[in-house]
Amino acid sequence: MHWLEDFTYVGILARPVYVGLVLLGLALGLGRSGISPERQRRFFLAIAVPLLVWLAIAWYAAYVGAFVPAVPGRGSPVVPLAIFVPLIVWIAVLRRSKVMAAVLDAVPSSWLIGLQAYRVLGAAFLAQWAIGNASGAFAIPAGVGDVIVGLLAPLAAILVSRSGTNRWIGYGWNALGTLDLVSAVTLGILNGAGILPPPVNVLAPSLGAYPLVLVPAFTVPLSFVLHFLSVWQLRRRSANETTAVRPSLDHELVLQR
């Protein structure tokens, strides 16, 4: 097997590693949140079990070929469902969780940003293009975008952690990362629906087959969720700081009177 093909498999098989990092960050955040230990355990299991089940189902479906399109050159309708259904469910559930809000308030803003350094593994698309298994029309923008987002993640995390005034860097990085995901998903869906002209043939067989299909079937929606949590955290931090400063200013005005 070509070493570039090996790289693709290594990148895909790294999924359990960064899922483990997500759960580790959750556990540490719960420990800092001040929530009772029993409630911490319940919430951790409420997140960890569905997350691991989701990974297992996506992995099995990819392995048995559930995402392989029935018509060559067209996309499988299962892939958009695999992206958007988990994404909508996770965001809807997490957004209403007071425990999740407490965890976000307890951990540094840099954690959720730095975690997505795993996006450099999007270079797997470039590897597939290099060996002729994927069209450059899709693989180059998707792969290069992911690599840039992944390389910038540690730098953005460091800058955000140094000063609250650098929060705009966190917003900018999240916007870049989200735009990268949106562009890749949009290009894939449009081509899969036959909307794009035939010369833009981005749907090579490898993109719907195991293991590369795990990227849209699992990694993309997970990355969307992490971007959502990061932006939510940054907004909460700004709101909390504004709330803390406002009473002190009002108190000073009263004293001046």
Side-chain angles (χ1 to χ4, degrees), residues 131 162 184:
I131 58 180
R162 286 182 175 177

Side-chain angles (χ1 to χ4, degrees), residues 109-110 113-114 149 152-177 227 230-231 234 238:
S109 301
S110 57
I113 296 174
V149 171
L152 289 178
L155 177 60
I158 291 171
L159 293 175
V160 168
S161 67
R162 286 182 175 177
S163 173
T165 58
N166 290 335
R167 197 167 292 128
W168 64 271
I169 295 177
Y171 285 120
W173 176 86
N174 276 293
L176 177 65
H227 278 305
S230 179
V231 172
L234 292 169
S238 297

Side-chain angles (χ1 to χ4, degrees), residues 26-91:
L26 175 62
L28 294 174
L30 284 167
R32 294 179 172 210
S33 66
I35 298 171
S36 67
E38 179 59 29
R39 196 176 179 189
Q40 289 183 36
R41 284 192 292 270
R42 289 201 305 267
F43 186 78
F44 181 82
L45 290 175
I47 298 297
V49 172
L51 181 59
L52 293 174
V53 169
W54 175 28
L55 174 60
I57 291 175
W59 205 301
Y60 177 76
Y63 186 75
V64 299
F67 300 111
V68 175
V71 179
R74 289 296 186 93
S76 168
V78 182
V79 175
L81 290 175
I83 294 173
F84 292 108
V85 172
L87 172 61
I88 293 170
V89 171
W90 276 108
I91 290 180

Side-chain angles (χ1 to χ4, degrees), residues 63-253:
Y63 186 75
V64 299
F67 300 111
V68 175
V71 179
R74 289 296 186 93
S76 168
V78 182
V79 175
L81 290 175
I83 294 173
F84 292 108
V85 172
L87 172 61
I88 293 170
V89 171
W90 276 108
I91 290 180
V93 171
L94 293 175
R95 185 65 182 86
R96 300 179 62 181
S97 172
K98 294 182 179 179
V99 176
M100 190 72 249
V103 170
L104 293 178
D105 290 343
V107 301
S109 301
S110 57
W111 285 17
L112 282 169
I113 296 174
L115 175 63
Q116 287 208 56
Y118 68 74
R119 295 275 286 277
V120 297
L121 296 175
F125 287 118
L126 299 176
Q128 289 296 303
W129 166 69
I131 58 180
N133 286 344
S135 168
F138 176 80
I140 293 176
V144 171
D146 268 352
V147 170
I148 291 174
V149 171
L151 291 175
L152 289 178
L155 177 60
I158 291 171
L159 293 175
V160 168
S161 67
R162 286 182 175 177
S163 173
T165 58
N166 290 335
R167 197 167 292 128
W168 64 271
I169 295 177
Y171 285 120
W173 176 86
N174 276 293
L176 177 65
T178 302
L179 180 62
D180 169 55
L181 295 174
V182 169
S183 64
V185 170
T186 301
L187 183 59
I189 291 177
L190 290 179
N191 188 271
I195 297 175
L196 296 180
V200 189
N201 181 24
V202 302
L203 293 177
S206 64
L207 299 180
Y210 179 85
L212 202 60
V213 75
L214 274 171
V215 176
F218 180 77
T219 307
V220 167
L222 177 63
S223 299
F224 269 124
V225 172
L226 293 176
H227 278 305
F228 162 75
L229 291 175
S230 179
V231 172
W232 184 22
Q233 181 188 44
L234 292 169
R235 291 184 62 186
R236 286 184 61 83
R237 198 133 298 174
S238 297
N240 291 340
E241 289 178 359
T242 301
T243 302
V245 170
R246 186 70 230 176
S248 64
L249 291 176
D250 291 342
H251 181 66
E252 289 179 8
L253 290 173

